[in-house]
């Protein structure tokens, strides 16, 4: 409870006086992006998707088996000792055993490519189903590897989140119906975690001194309060919906440090980097999209007049212009990492490649110099993205991976699903089954080889955060970054403690 | 001192505008924090004279009472409350984190708004206007006025938080320095990335020396840019007279050669581009004086040149378009024509039936193979090819008469039109020439 009297003597509610304001210097951002999810420029899409599952199984299976044998080796149940079976097909009826493989979920509402083919649908529309499960059951869970698959049954399955593509080990017996009655499940659990500063080096105090501007008074040398990074998602700059435009304005002023009073401004100057986690541009409104579909159908019947450049009647440049203005206003004071999201102008399939800089005529002057090793001041990155910020290994996505998992599971426990992803060691298990993905051949980048310190997922309905721990003492800070357009919230992460706070903006 | 009073009186009282602190700060070139105080003082003094003369909105920042924050359940959002089903119910609860709230409130509601706060870290006047602010969304326009004023230079001076480490790439239009210095840069960057470390050990003395020099060089740069731009195109013209040449008779071949010659040049330009160094604030690499004249030599293309290249490309595009139907024709016709003995020369003719020919453009039908996909009685998809007739008209390119005669004469030459794909460059000329 604050009353008017209490704020009466605030410094900014006074007559202006002639005092030169201090110049605050923004904290330096220590940043090293990794291109784990970058695709080759000349990629092709002729390959089959099976290799992804093969590679994923090959990478994670040893870890799962290790966990499983540690837990189940020598387990005796009903006078029978559990034995390891190497392949799914080698499971013998009535024999107590355990086997590792990939989960496949068959669900009533799940889109199926076989169905599309049989119904002669050749153009794949974006998946519109908001869930794959069905209240009255009808789903079946299978375990498969390169030899075959077996149906899993048992009550224990309900205690875990399971989605297509995650690698598990299951112990149990095959019953007379040829189903595998599961007694217990194991996951690979968190991968080994690198030390802090494993890829980049902290700035020594000498380096800070050197790069300092020769201003009159910069009293930042001794007291080094911890820095922060700001994460925001779902800015959704729109050409038609202006209901949250004022909040976006306030966000801009907040991050610039122009709003608020000197003490708060000095606090804000410690925000060393802004990460935008997807959906910077709003979903095209129904009107717009309807319009474009009609034009495309007429285009089929009549050859349209050839045009260079975009067609102004079907394209609204305003959202990207607004985003460009937003970025170019912020960039002089803060470096930005930009992840694409579902609605952003990038490819639709995972991993999404960086938004092309041609979208940002003003902001692109801050972009990386092609071919240089130094990351850009404005760094358009892939989604998912991995990097090291202030020495911490950070993994972030624009949210599609989690949204897709949510369609499998009748639960709103998104933090739990994030945790499950870490324990499965897979950041996008449902790719390529229901989450569109590039058909990888050589490598499966969604496997978490190293455990991140900070894992954030953008464009979520609500905020959430949690700290999880692994068997070898790994700790991961999980953050659900809410969509700004609907919640008006941004997330600040302390770069020393990885503590999270948030800022809500009400206009 | 009182410039702000006059400015605000003019804008708010006379012109009925809403003025935000950012706008005031940009307009009067004062620090944003001073601007906030000015707004406050103006608001106070005016309302002392005449209550209700101006209305303010306040920006309040602090922590709100905890009551309404964390208790909001995460599954109340989309009405999806069918949690009774068999799904795992172990909700991993989110940690409660400190939340700061930034609110924009009109002065009428300031008291209530403050009552919601536990602690206010900062409060200041956001804007003042002649009328009470009903809808905060309407402030957007006022807030966006800043865009009409603000330039980069202003912002740097007025922004409370500066970032000396900002790196930006020089725009290509203005970035002559890199092009001019390209040769030097290439030498410097024999080992990639070596230039950066090289700059670091540069002593502060050098920095200070080069700093004052920079603006001068930049202006000189700009000055020389103008004439250079004008000169460049004529020089280019002399070398190859651009588009017009494409239309001249003998052009197709030289143009082609030129294009090929240009390609490496372009690549070279790109190469320079990628060697372009980030603009250093301290202007250390300004020793390499910009030499606009060296540009043409270094293969850096001026805007004019690039436009021409684009035009040429578009032209080529058109040619390609013309060629494609022709290419499509040939494979279809070929097999039939090569079919030995030509027992029915009539059939050969019938691959194309011209119903009308005017001005050298023809309409008619031609025979094509169509792919058709059907589902057979067993449910398999079968793709069959069947011949069909397709009408064509002047929209599509006229099939060339010359190759046609050639194909009908000898099968050996029949393959020629196929190979002649690239040669088709000149096809547009043959179209214009007399039949």
């Amino acid at each position: 409870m604050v009353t008017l009297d209490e704020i009466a003597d605030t410094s900014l509610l006074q007559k202006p006086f002639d005092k030169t304001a201090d110049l605050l210097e923004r904290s330096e951002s220590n940043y090293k992006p990794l291109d784990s999810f970058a695709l080759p420029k000349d990629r092709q899409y002729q390959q089959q998707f099976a290799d992804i599952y093969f590679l994923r199984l090959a990478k994670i299976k040893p870890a799962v088996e290790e966990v499983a044998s540690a837990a189940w080796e020598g387990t005796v149940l009903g006078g029978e000792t559990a034995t390891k079976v190497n392949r799914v097909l080698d499971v013998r009826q009535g024999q107590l055993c355990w086997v590792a493989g990939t989960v496949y979920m068959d669900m009533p509402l799940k889109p199926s490519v076989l169905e599309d083919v049989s119904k002669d649908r050749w153009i794949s529309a974006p998946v519109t189903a908001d869930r794959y499960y069905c209240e009255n059951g009808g789903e079946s869970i299978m375990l498969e590897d390169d030899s075959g698959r077996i149906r899993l049954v048992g009550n224990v399955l309900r205690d875990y989140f399971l989605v297509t593509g995650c690698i598990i080990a299951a112990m149990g017996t095959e019953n007379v119906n040829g189903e595998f009655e599961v007694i217990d499940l194991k996951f690979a659990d968190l991968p080994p975690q690198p030390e802090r500063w494993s890829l980049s080096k902290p700035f020594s105090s000498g380096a800070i001194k050197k790069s300092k501007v020769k201003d009159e008074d910069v009293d930042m040398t001794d007291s080094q309060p911890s820095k922060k990074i700001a994460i925001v998602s779902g800015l959704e700059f729109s050409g038609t919906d202006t209901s949250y435009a004022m909040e976006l304005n306030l966000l801009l002023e907040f991050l610039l440090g122009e709003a608020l009073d000197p003490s708060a401004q000095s606090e804000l100057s410690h925000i060393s980097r802004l990460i935008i986690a997807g959906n910077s541009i709003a979903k095209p409104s129904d009107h717009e999209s309807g319009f474009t579909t009609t034009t495309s159908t007429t285009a089929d019947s009549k050859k349209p007049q050839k045009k260079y450049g975009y067609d102004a009647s079907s394209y609204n440049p305003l959202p990207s212009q607004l985003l460009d203005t937003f970025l170019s206003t912020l960039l002089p004071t803060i470096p930005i990492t930009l992840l694409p999201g579902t609605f952003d102008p990038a490819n639709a399939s995972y991993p999404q490649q960086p938004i092309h800089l041609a979208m940002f005529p003003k902001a692109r002057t801050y972009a990386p110099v092609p071919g240089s090793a130094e990351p850009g001041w404005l760094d358009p990155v892939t989604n998912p993205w991995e990097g090291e910020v202030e020495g911490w290994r950070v993994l972030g996505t624009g949210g599609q991976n989690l949204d897709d998992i949510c369609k499998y599971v009748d639960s709103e426990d998104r933090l739990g699903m994030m945790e499950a992803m870490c324990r499965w060691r897979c950041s996008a298990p449902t790719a390529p089954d229901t989450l569109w993905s590039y058909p990888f051949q050589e490598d499966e980048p969604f496997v978490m080889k190293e455990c991140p310190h900070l894992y954030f997922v953008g464009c979520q309905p609500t905020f959430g955060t949690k700290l999880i721990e692994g068997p070898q003492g790994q700790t991961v800070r999980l953050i659900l970054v809410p969509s700004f357009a609907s919640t008006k919230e941004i997330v600040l992460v302390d770069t020393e403690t990885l503590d999270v706070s948030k800022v809500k903006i009400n206009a | 001192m009182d410039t702000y009073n006059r400015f605000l009186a003019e804008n708010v009282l006379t012109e009925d505008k809403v003025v935000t602190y950012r706008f005031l700060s940009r307009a009067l070139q004062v620090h944003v924090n001073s601007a906030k105080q000015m707004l406050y003082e103006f608001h106070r003094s005016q309302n002392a004279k005449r209550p209700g003369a101006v209305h303010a909105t306040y920006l309040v920042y602090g922590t709100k009472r905890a009551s309404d924050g964390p208790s909001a359940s995460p599954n109340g959002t989309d009405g999806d409350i069918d949690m009774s089903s068999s799904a795992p119910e172990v909700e991993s609860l989110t940690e409660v984190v400190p939340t700061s709230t930034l609110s924009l409130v009109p002065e009428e509601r300031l008291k209530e708004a403050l009552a919601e706060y536990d602690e206010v870290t900062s409060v200041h006047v956001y804007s003042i206007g002649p009328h009470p602010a009903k809808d905060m969304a309407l402030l957007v326009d006022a807030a966006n006025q800043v865009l009409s004023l603000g330039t980069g230079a202003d912002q740097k001076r007025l922004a409370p938080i500066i970032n000396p480490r900002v790196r930006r790439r020089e725009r290509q239009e203005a970035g002559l320095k890199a092009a001019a210095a390209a040769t030097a840069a290439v030498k410097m960057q024999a080992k990639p990335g070596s230039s950066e470390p090289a700059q670091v050990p540069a002593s502060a003395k050098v920095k200070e020396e080069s700093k004052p020099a920079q603006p001068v060089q930049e202006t000189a740069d700009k000055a020389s840019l103008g004439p250079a731009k004008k000169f460049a195109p004529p020089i280019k013209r002399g070398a190859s007279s651009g588009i017009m040449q494409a239309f001249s008779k003998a052009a197709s071949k030289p143009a082609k050669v030129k294009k090929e010659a240009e390609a490496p040049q372009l690549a070279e330009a790109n190469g320079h581009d990628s060697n372009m160094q980030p603009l250093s604030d301290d202007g250390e690499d300004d020793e390499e004086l910009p030499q606009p004249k060296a540009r043409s030599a270094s293969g850096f293309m001026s805007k004019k040149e690039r436009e021409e290249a684009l035009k040429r490309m578009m032209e080529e595009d058109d040619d390609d378009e013309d060629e494609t139907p022709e290419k499509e024709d040939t494979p279809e016709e070929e097999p039939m024509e090569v079919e030995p003995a030509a027992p029915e020369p009539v059939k050969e003719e019938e691959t194309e039936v011209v119903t009308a020919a005017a001005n050298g453009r023809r309409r008619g039908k031609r025979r094509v193979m169509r792919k058709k996909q059907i589902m057979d009685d067993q449910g398999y998809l079968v793709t069959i090819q069947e011949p069909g007739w397709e009408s064509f008209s002047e929209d599509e390119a006229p099939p060339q008469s010359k190759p046609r005669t050639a194909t009908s004469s000898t099968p050996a030459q029949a393959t020629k039109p196929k190979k002649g794909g690239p040669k088709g460059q000149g096809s547009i000329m043959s179209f214009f020439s007399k039949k």
Side-chain angles (χ1 to χ4, degrees):
Chain A
M1 184 87 177
V2 177
T3 60
L4 278 176
D5 299 338
E6 285 173 48
I7 59 160
D9 57 343
T10 323
S11 68
L12 290 182
L13 300 183
Q14 283 173 7
K15 276 180 83 156
F17 44 88
D18 285 332
K19 180 194 164 250
T20 49
D22 310 339
L23 268 185
L24 295 165
E25 191 178 320
R26 195 175 287 280
S27 306
E28 185 166 8
S29 173
N30 195 323
Y31 175 70
K32 181 172 173 40
L34 300 173
D35 54 355
S36 328
F37 297 96
L39 295 175
K41 284 270 184 292
D42 56 340
R43 56 185 178 268
Q44 46 173 326
Y45 290 83
Q46 307 295 318
Q47 321 85 311
Q48 296 293 315
F49 287 94
D51 295 291
I52 297 186
Y53 287 116
F54 178 78
L55 288 165
R56 188 181 296 167
L57 188 62
K59 280 181 166 185
I60 304 181
K61 197 176 179 185
V64 177
E65 287 182 335
E66 196 180 310
V67 171
S69 45
W72 297 329
E73 194 79 75
T75 305
V76 181
L77 271 180
E80 198 179 354
T81 312
T83 51
K84 181 186 162 186
V85 170
N86 281 323
R87 299 191 314 158
V88 166
L89 275 196
D90 293 340
V91 175
R92 294 281 160 261
Q93 221 170 65
Q95 176 197 8
L96 182 67
C97 62
W98 54 272
V99 63
T102 310
V103 171
Y104 174 77
M105 308 278 282
D106 194 13
M107 304 185 118
L109 302 179
K110 211 170 89 168
S112 154
V113 67
L114 294 175
E115 201 172 297
D116 285 351
V117 171
S118 66
K119 287 187 179 159
D120 213 7
R121 287 193 298 238
W122 295 100
I123 300 162
S124 46
V127 181
T128 48
D130 55 357
R131 54 168 195 192
Y132 305 137
Y133 62 86
C134 194
E135 268 93 44
N136 41 18
E139 64 184 47
S140 55
I141 305 172
M142 332 245 205
L143 190 71
E144 68 174 22
D145 63 9
D146 38 9
S147 68
R149 58 165 73 151
I150 188 166
R151 184 193 294 258
L152 301 182
V153 292
N155 287 331
V156 69
L157 296 176
R158 296 186 186 164
D159 298 342
Y160 297 94
F161 291 123
L162 287 177
V163 299
T164 295
C166 60
I167 311 287
I168 62 166
M171 179 174 69
T173 50
E174 187 183 331
N175 63 17
V176 282
N177 301 327
E179 293 163 337
F180 193 77
E181 298 231 20
V182 180
I183 300 167
D184 199 6
L185 284 185
K186 286 288 173 211
F187 306 118
D189 222 317
L190 302 186
Q193 192 166 37
E195 293 284 304
R196 195 185 173 188
W197 302 115
S198 62
L199 295 176
S200 48
K201 286 201 173 58
F203 301 118
S204 62
S205 55
I208 292 175
K209 226 170 242 166
K210 208 182 208 172
S211 62
K212 189 163 289 167
V213 284
K214 282 167 227 61
D215 244 332
E216 51 273 41
D217 56 340
V218 195
D219 46 357
M220 300 246 320
T221 33
D222 301 317
S223 62
Q224 284 258 331
S226 58
K227 295 187 261 186
K228 287 192 162 70
I229 45 175
I231 310 176
V232 66
S233 73
L235 296 173
E236 299 197 15
F237 283 97
S238 164
T240 48
D241 183 3
T242 55
S243 61
Y244 45 88
M246 196 60 217
E247 280 89 347
L248 285 169
N249 253 314
L250 288 176
L251 173 68
L252 179 68
E253 292 167 27
F254 176 81
L255 290 170
L256 279 175
E258 295 197 0
L260 310 182
D261 68 2
S263 67
Q265 282 165 351
S266 77
E267 206 177 294
L268 296 182
S269 70
H270 298 127
I271 300 177
S272 63
R273 172 167 293 273
L274 173 68
I275 298 177
I276 301 179
N279 284 3
S280 311
I281 286 176
K283 184 182 179 177
S285 66
D286 291 342
H287 167 73
E288 279 175 282
S289 58
F291 186 71
T292 47
T293 48
T294 51
T295 48
S296 65
T297 46
T298 51
D300 289 341
S301 54
K302 193 176 64 184
K303 204 177 170 189
Q305 209 180 353
K306 196 167 142 190
K307 274 189 181 169
Y308 288 98
Y310 66 84
D311 182 3
S313 62
S314 63
Y315 174 66
N316 186 354
L318 194 58
S320 62
Q321 279 169 5
L322 290 173
L323 177 60
D324 186 30
T325 310
F326 180 85
L327 294 176
S328 60
T329 314
L330 270 179
L331 279 165
T333 87
I334 189 167
I336 297 178
T337 300
L338 177 65
L339 272 74
T342 322
F343 306 138
D344 284 323
N347 56 334
S349 63
Y350 246 43
Q352 283 186 296
Q353 296 303 293
I355 300 177
H356 200 279
L357 285 165
M359 298 296 296
F360 312 121
K362 283 184 267 179
R364 73 164 179 218
T365 49
Y366 296 92
V369 178
S372 97
E374 201 175 18
W377 193 252
L378 165 68
D379 194 17
V381 296
T382 55
N383 166 28
W385 167 76
E386 200 179 14
E388 204 170 79
V389 181
E390 306 299 337
W392 303 110
R393 186 66 59 89
V394 177
L395 177 66
T397 78
Q400 294 99 316
N401 56 342
L402 186 52
D403 291 344
D404 197 55
I405 291 177
C406 281
K407 296 176 183 175
Y408 280 84
V409 187
D410 185 5
S411 162
E412 277 297 314
D413 181 14
R414 288 177 179 247
L415 275 175
M417 294 174 212
M418 269 183 92
E419 178 178 353
M421 268 192 269
C422 294
R423 304 221 184 264
W424 295 330
R425 294 197 189 180
C426 190
S427 56
T430 56
D433 185 24
T434 45
L435 183 65
W436 289 4
S437 158
Y438 174 74
F440 285 99
Q441 291 290 284
E442 317 289 318
D443 187 27
E444 211 280 271
F446 302 124
V447 173
M448 288 187 198
K449 287 180 282 293
E450 287 174 313
C451 185
H453 298 98
L454 172 66
Y455 180 27
F456 66 85
V457 172
C459 308
Q460 297 304 302
T462 50
F463 168 83
T465 184
K466 194 180 160 189
L467 204 63
I468 60 166
E469 286 178 11
Q472 292 140 39
Q474 309 99 317
T475 53
V476 187
R477 165 64 68 182
L478 308 177
I479 301 177
L480 297 171
V481 184
S483 169
F484 184 81
S486 53
T487 63
K488 324 283 192 293
E489 287 174 345
I490 69 166
V491 177
L492 300 178
V493 183
D494 188 298
T495 57
E496 290 308 313
T497 58
L498 291 183
D499 282 342
V500 180
S501 59
K502 62 176 177 171
V503 176
K504 191 172 175 65
I505 295 177
N506 292 325
Chain B
M1 175 62 199
D2 278 338
T3 44
Y4 74 88
N5 272 327
R6 207 173 328 122
F7 178 84
L8 287 172
E10 246 171 50
N11 275 277
V12 178
L13 301 177
T14 317
E15 288 188 32
D16 247 24
K17 277 208 243 170
V18 177
V19 174
T20 65
Y21 72 90
R22 288 182 85 203
F23 183 73
L24 184 67
S25 144
R26 302 289 192 285
L28 299 183
Q29 300 286 311
V30 292
H31 193 272
V32 280
N33 290 352
S34 313
K36 292 167 195 168
Q37 292 170 327
M38 289 172 182
L39 286 182
Y40 172 77
E41 177 58 20
F42 182 77
H43 176 254
R44 195 191 55 77
S45 64
Q46 288 297 317
N47 280 357
K49 279 187 226 160
R50 192 161 56 89
V54 290
H55 297 262
T57 55
Y58 290 88
L59 196 61
V60 186
Y61 181 64
T63 44
K64 278 201 173 180
R65 274 180 303 175
S67 59
D68 55 344
S71 64
S73 74
N75 50 3
T77 43
D78 50 8
D80 196 11
I81 330 175
D82 31 21
M83 299 295 289
S84 52
S85 58
S86 59
E89 301 248 347
V90 262
E91 293 270 318
S92 338
L93 284 173
T94 169
E95 290 171 20
V96 177
V97 300
T99 306
S100 310
T101 309
L102 183 72
S103 322
L104 190 61
V105 286
E107 61 178 320
E108 294 80 20
R109 278 200 19 245
L110 181 61
K111 205 176 162 195
E112 306 156 40
L114 285 176
E116 291 171 17
Y117 277 85
D118 251 354
E119 190 199 345
V120 170
T121 35
S122 163
V123 56
H124 65 80
V125 181
Y126 182 81
S127 70
I128 56 174
H131 309 293
K134 284 192 203 76
D135 187 357
M136 288 304 154
L138 298 179
L139 273 174
V140 173
D141 293 332
N144 282 341
Q145 287 175 332
V146 174
L147 297 177
S148 59
L149 288 177
T151 62
D154 283 353
Q155 275 186 12
K156 228 172 205 168
R157 202 135 34 93
L158 302 175
I161 303 179
I162 55 155
N163 200 330
R165 299 170 200 87
V166 63
R167 297 186 304 270
R168 58 188 294 177
R169 179 153 58 134
E170 217 171 322
R171 306 286 308 237
Q172 290 181 3
E173 287 81 0
L176 309 172
K177 183 178 74 175
T183 44
V186 167
K187 249 182 264 162
M188 262 173 65
Q189 299 194 336
K191 283 167 261 149
S194 68
S195 72
E196 280 304 305
Q199 281 174 15
V200 177
S203 69
K205 210 174 173 187
V206 177
K207 264 189 207 169
E208 229 137 62
E209 275 170 8
S210 59
K211 209 164 206 168
Q214 188 186 21
V216 184
Q217 283 174 359
E218 258 172 17
T219 48
D221 194 355
K222 259 172 215 158
S224 56
L225 163 64
K229 249 192 182 157
K230 270 170 213 150
F231 283 140
I235 293 165
K236 186 82 195 154
R237 276 275 141 81
S240 74
S241 52
I243 312 179
M244 292 319 290
Q245 209 177 21
F247 283 104
S248 74
K249 232 184 194 151
S252 64
K253 241 180 204 154
K256 190 88 188 172
V257 172
K258 236 221 82 195
K259 229 170 277 153
E260 277 164 9
E262 217 166 66
Q265 238 179 32
L266 240 162
E268 206 176 84
N270 286 342
H272 291 325
D273 206 329
S274 62
N275 279 333
M276 202 184 284
Q277 292 163 311
L279 173 63
S280 56
D281 279 342
D282 40 30
E284 267 165 19
D285 40 9
D286 284 352
E287 298 98 58
E288 294 116 27
L289 269 162
Q291 299 160 335
K293 264 179 204 159
R295 276 190 311 148
S296 52
S298 68
F300 198 82
M301 303 229 288
S302 74
K303 195 178 170 198
K304 258 280 177 41
E305 288 169 89
R306 253 180 283 131
E307 262 167 24
E308 266 175 37
L310 185 66
K311 263 185 205 152
R312 234 174 286 127
M313 197 182 74
M314 277 153 76
E315 222 125 278
E316 198 181 7
D317 250 24
D318 285 345
D319 288 354
D320 283 350
E321 287 253 314
D322 287 349
E323 273 166 30
T324 36
E326 185 189 317
K327 274 183 193 158
E328 273 165 21
D329 281 358
T330 34
E332 290 144 18
E333 288 166 70
E334 225 81 88
M336 292 185 197
E337 283 162 318
V338 178
E339 256 164 28
E344 314 145 317
V346 198
K347 195 191 166 198
E348 224 176 272
E349 296 299 313
E350 265 176 12
T351 55
E352 206 160 80
V353 176
V354 179
T355 52
N359 293 339
R361 306 216 152 177
R362 314 189 304 165
R363 290 156 201 258
K365 291 182 167 178
R366 63 171 166 239
R367 191 159 205 161
V368 292
M369 294 299 275
R370 284 216 178 81
K371 271 192 183 152
K372 202 174 164 192
Q373 203 159 43
I374 53 166
M375 197 180 284
D376 71 8
D377 44 3
Q378 286 164 314
Y380 291 107
L381 287 173
V382 180
T383 308
I384 52 168
Q385 284 204 328
E386 60 180 21
W389 290 93
E390 176 193 87
S391 60
F392 69 93
S393 69
E394 59 186 60
D395 280 350
E396 291 156 60
Q400 304 240 322
S401 49
K402 227 161 100 190
R404 185 159 304 286
T405 52
T407 48
S408 50
S409 60
T410 58
Q413 277 181 343
T415 50
K416 213 173 180 184
K418 235 196 239 169
K419 273 186 207 154
K423 199 196 98 192
Q425 182 84 12
S427 67
I428 196 162
M429 293 317 300
S430 64
F431 169 63
F432 283 121
S433 69
K434 266 191 215 161
K435 299 255 157 177

